[in-house]
Amino acid sequence: MHESVQAEVMMSFLVSEELSFRIPVELRYETCDPYAVRLTFHLPGDAPVTWAFGRELLIDGVGRACGEGDVRVAPADPDALGDVLIRLQVGGDHALFRSSAAPLVAFLDRTDKLVPLGQEGALSDFDASLGEALDRILAEEQSAG
């Protein structure tokens, strides 16, 4: 059985230095993909957009700048735990979001209670073994019936 953790956070979508607006962002973590978190951005006038990236990247990014390539996460002020910047990039286009660190930390704490950091592999192996066992049982039932 797959379990999940969800939260909704209001983030600022930083369009430019002069323009930003608040949007709801759904955070989701599922045991069926224990290494990833999903952020679904609800932009006005557009269909929701979901990004999946490593849970550890989000954990690390709350306290220090990290990430390479398409996803980068960093504290807005490296000397204070206040806001977090999340930069998402596709090709030459990018989007920058700012969130209070507190709801991200609360969400990540709930994910850690569900699957402690470092224990994801054990869960993945269990799920794979369970899936294989169910496939064998179904195959045996089909061949017997």
Side-chain angles (χ1 to χ4, degrees):
M1 181 170 131
H2 298 295
E3 296 180 68
S4 65
V5 172
Q6 293 180 175
E8 186 172 292
V9 175
M10 291 302 291
M11 292 188 185
S12 293
F13 176 35
L14 307 174
V15 179
S16 68
E17 287 187 30
E18 300 83 27
L19 178 63
S20 69
F21 52 92
R22 311 258 308 148
I23 62 166
V25 178
E26 179 187 337
L27 308 175
R28 187 168 184 85
Y29 176 79
E30 299 175 323
T31 57
C32 62
D33 189 3
Y35 292 100
V37 292
R38 285 174 173 65
L39 278 65
T40 301
F41 299 90
H42 298 274
L43 300 168
D46 287 334
V49 176
T50 300
W51 278 72
F53 55 89
R55 173 173 68 154
E56 195 167 349
L57 174 63
L58 187 57
I59 291 169
D60 291 346
V62 168
R64 65 178 174 82
C66 61
E68 295 179 11
D70 295 344
V71 180
R72 297 178 187 198
V73 183
D77 178 357
D79 297 325
L81 182 63
D83 286 350
V84 175
L85 298 173
I86 301 172
R87 179 186 167 110
L88 307 173
Q89 184 169 338
V90 176
D93 296 327
H94 74 275
L96 185 61
F97 299 89
R98 184 180 192 123
S99 172
S100 173
L104 297 178
V105 169
F107 169 76
L108 290 166
D109 184 57
R110 290 175 52 217
T111 71
D112 192 62
K113 285 182 171 76
L114 185 59
V115 178
L117 190 62
Q119 299 299 310
E120 300 92 347
L123 183 65
S124 294
D125 293 342
F126 172 76
D127 284 351
S129 298
L130 180 61
E132 290 170 9
L134 290 173
D135 288 344
R136 264 195 319 274
I137 291 168
L138 291 173
E140 289 172 7
E141 286 181 0
Q142 289 176 349
S143 66

